[in-house]
Amino acid sequence: MHNSRTDRSGLTILYGSQTGNAQDVAERIGREGKRRHFVPRIMAMDAFPVSQLPEEHNVILVSSTTGQASTGLCKLYEQTMLFEHSWQLCHFAGQGEVPSNMKAFWKFLLRKALPADSLKGIIVAVFGLGDSGYQNYNTVAKKLDRRLTALGASVICERGLGDDQHPNGYEAALDPWLQKLWSQLRAKHPLQLGLSEPAPEDTSTELEPKYQMSYLASHEVAERPVYASGQEEAVAAAFAFSQLEASVSGVHTSPGNAEAISRQGMTASTSGTTIATENAQYGLWRPFMASLTCNTRITSAHHFQDTRHLEFDLTGSGMHYAPGDLLTIFPCQSQAAVSAFLQRMNLDPDAWVRIQPAEIPLGSTVSSIQVRVGALVRGILDISGASPRRYFFEVLQHFATAEVEVDRLEYFATPEGRNDLYTYNQKEGRTVLEVLQDFKSAQPPLEWLLQTVPHLKPRQFSSASSLAKHPNSAHVLMAVVNYETPFKRRKQGLCSAWLASLTPLHSSCYSSDNATQQVNDAQNYASADAMASGAGSDSSAHGPAVLCSSSCNGDTSPDVDTANGDKQACLLPVWVEKGGLRLPASHSTPMILIGAGTGVAPFRSFLEERQMAAAGGASVAPSYLLFGCRGEKTDFYYNQLWQQLLAEDVLAPKDGLLTAFSRDQKQKVYVQDKLRQHSKLMWDLLQQGAVVYVSGSAEKMPQAVATAFEEIAAQQHQEPGFGRKFVQRLEHTKRYHVEAWS
């Protein structure tokens, strides 16, 4: 093993990553380490044989902090993609959970039987990625650092904590931390005679291909699977590549074999046409093609924010979900963006390629996949939503030929140019396609694009409905991203703009005080990728409101009618995943639900579930909903339902609905203010065993709510610090749950 105690140049770099940022940091450390004559080995923590950790010498661990499947703004993809201000799963930090690919590693480290000197002699360094807007800011990295030290490891560099709230993102902390790390490692392991290395502040890296790609002749394509739509083929490509990528990282892949799936095609079920068993399992490997039956704007026409109530038909899927679960949707990139990218990179969408790792790890379960180039671009590469990471610009510099472009890219790689790169890229929400159109001479090969372009990710939305009340249907509350950058460029969310552009099967499907029934009357969505591809500023990202986008559904054209004159439903790839929020075990347990904006979505599912339980004769404790938004007449989501639940005693008739309309009066009022105004009621409910749920933006609200509860508790006892201890006790006993996003 090259990183053993006998090889002090070895560098074991382990990451725990939910959405890719921690992995990206780990790979950057590996590249920088190689330039400094270390021998790096990079893998997910759960792929590493943790029992062999005592045999390592230099170990660097990078971890993000997640929530227990909490939902939030897909920033993420984590901080580099165009923010989706919708109720979506992304970067979690609500309950301070470890990422999914480090759970086994962490569980092993927590064994009580491990001796206190288990890791004596090991040199470790920890870097965490988090968001200071969350209560549990970088909790995992802090705990990991303490546990390694408790087991005898020596810390060579004080842990670093990256903060997404920083104007320059987590790299603001990463850059100086890496300088210290390389200095400390070099002091510990002097450079061999005759060798030289970059200065610690030099963070440029060598270009090393991660994948090899070869074009296939027609007779070399093993099988040509037939797909019902271009979107199904894109999802199949995404799954096949995810299996290959996991295998490269040393993770055993399941279910199925990626190469077989890419050859044989994905089995996708379609709403209304497939009878599935009750225990059918869906996921990226086999999504259910659900029809969109409702797409209604539920904010007032003059309100700046367009928020949609969406409904999906799950008939025939056999899928079940509980309140608090997630509906996952694989997004569709616009045909305009896909065509522009293919043209810019001189790619033939009908060509077939084989992708395999540049180095195949021992025990790898997937050695290669083959896909059509068009499917690779649509389903794997996020060309029109995410902003590329720094390494993408280093690669562009290598393949650029125009002197002015090379000079600018070289400048971006310098310490002096990093802030300008951040302004140009992340702050402006610059997409890969836009960057490539700014640096026209750069022509990186497809394998380098596959390595450096952000990968398209499924979007996870908290369910806003109860299956008991809406059989065979799942509802979502989604705010459409549409904003202006600092340089006055119009930007839109890839997934939200796409969904907003689709015409549902039923034109009149949802009624509310603020609802705009005709989706076609809502604004068109002209995204930057459409404009970058040559479309005018008033064009739509996916065309005008359509039934089916041709880029996602093969050759299907908009507004298709069947032989009998019925409209053809637009089918979207979806599946259900378990969420982190759960109703109390007993309906007799009171609930305090605190939701700001679209954060109220999971509470609609909670309350509908209790509504149906009460209708069935169950004893249901009244719940209390504190809802915050800008105005009663602009964005008071689901008001009609709340009034109905008040009348049915599902919400307590007295003070069961407390609203904070922040802009309806001169002095702003927020949900935390309502908590303080009703402090006695809140305390009495907590003494009765009430469970608290907090959901909304992480910027200030969750901490402000926690502070309000601390103050309420402190009023009851004069003991110093009682309020904070009380809230912590609620958290530890699973009576205080937070889901938030940035």
Side-chain angles (χ1 to χ4, degrees), residues 416-436:
E416 298 78 21
R418 285 177 202 152
N419 286 344
D420 287 339
L421 174 59
Y422 189 85
T423 299
Y424 165 81
N425 187 40
Q426 285 98 323
K427 275 193 173 182
E428 280 295 295
R430 199 86 57 175
T431 67
V432 167
L433 180 57
E434 290 174 322
V435 172
L436 287 170

Side-chain angles (χ1 to χ4, degrees), residues 341-545:
F341 182 85
L342 291 168
Q343 183 178 11
R344 165 65 180 82
M345 302 311 301
N346 298 318
L347 296 172
D348 177 5
D350 294 321
W352 284 81
V353 294
R354 178 181 290 113
I355 307 168
Q356 60 189 50
E359 294 182 10
I360 300 177
L362 290 174
S364 175
T365 56
V366 181
S367 59
S368 69
I369 62 172
Q370 58 181 41
V371 296
R372 240 177 21 96
V373 170
L376 185 156
V377 173
R378 281 198 301 272
I380 300 175
L381 304 182
D382 190 340
I383 59 172
S384 57
S387 295
R389 295 183 172 101
R390 186 194 297 184
Y391 190 44
F392 178 76
F393 292 89
E394 295 180 26
V395 171
L396 278 192
Q397 176 191 335
H398 182 79
F399 291 104
T401 56
E403 185 177 355
V404 64
E405 294 178 6
V406 173
D407 290 345
R408 190 180 184 196
L409 291 166
E410 284 180 350
Y411 170 69
F412 279 161
T414 65
E416 298 78 21
R418 285 177 202 152
N419 286 344
D420 287 339
L421 174 59
Y422 189 85
T423 299
Y424 165 81
N425 187 40
Q426 285 98 323
K427 275 193 173 182
E428 280 295 295
R430 199 86 57 175
T431 67
V432 167
L433 180 57
E434 290 174 322
V435 172
L436 287 170
Q437 289 172 331
D438 282 347
F439 296 91
K440 292 182 171 60
S441 74
Q443 197 72 21
L446 188 53
E447 55 264 36
W448 278 105
L449 294 172
L450 191 65
Q451 180 172 338
T452 58
V453 171
H455 296 152
L456 192 62
K457 303 289 186 182
R459 273 46 166 188
Q460 295 169 305
F461 296 82
S462 191
S463 63
S465 56
S466 164
L467 197 60
K469 185 173 182 179
H470 307 280
N472 299 315
S473 181
H475 300 181
V476 160
L477 180 64
M478 180 193 75
V480 183
V481 177
N482 189 358
Y483 72 99
E484 197 174 68
T485 71
F487 286 98
K488 309 300 181 184
R489 299 183 327 121
R490 204 84 214 143
K491 299 297 295 183
Q492 294 177 352
L494 186 155
C495 183
S496 62
W498 165 56
L499 289 172
S501 74
L502 300 175
T503 297
L505 202 57
H506 305 137
S507 59
S508 181
C509 54
Y510 179 81
S511 175
S512 78
D513 293 339
N514 298 321
T516 304
Q517 288 296 336
Q518 295 300 320
V519 69
N520 290 352
D521 291 339
Q523 75 178 92
N524 286 333
Y525 292 96
S527 68
D529 63 81
M531 289 185 276
S533 63
S537 60
D538 25 20
S539 66
S540 169
H542 299 271

Side-chain angles (χ1 to χ4, degrees), residues 642-675:
W642 310 144
Q643 300 305 322
Q644 180 183 352
L645 296 179
L646 284 168
E648 296 176 6
D649 292 345
V650 176
L651 287 173
K654 178 177 171 54
D655 297 328
L657 176 63
L658 302 174
T659 54
F661 303 122
S662 62
R663 304 303 198 273
D664 279 358
Q665 59 285 311
K666 185 174 291 187
Q667 186 171 353
K668 294 178 182 177
V669 177
Y670 298 105
V671 286
Q672 59 266 29
D673 301 317
K674 292 295 181 177
L675 282 172

Side-chain angles (χ1 to χ4, degrees), residues 166-215:
H166 191 280
N168 289 343
Y170 67 80
E171 287 187 337
L174 178 61
D175 289 343
W177 183 82
L178 283 175
Q179 291 183 31
K180 292 178 185 176
L181 175 69
W182 300 130
S183 295
Q184 296 295 332
L185 279 173
R186 186 51 66 216
K188 194 79 173 176
H189 308 301
L191 197 64
Q192 292 182 15
L193 221 58
L195 295 178
S196 62
E197 67 177 353
E201 62 271 14
D202 184 351
T203 60
S204 59
T205 59
E206 300 291 340
L207 298 189
E208 288 196 355
K210 196 173 177 181
Y211 303 101
Q212 291 179 352
M213 190 172 296
S214 56
Y215 283 84

Side-chain angles (χ1 to χ4, degrees), residues 587-603:
H587 285 312
S588 61
T589 301
M591 295 190 300
I592 301 173
L593 310 172
I594 305 167
T598 53
V600 79
F603 302 151

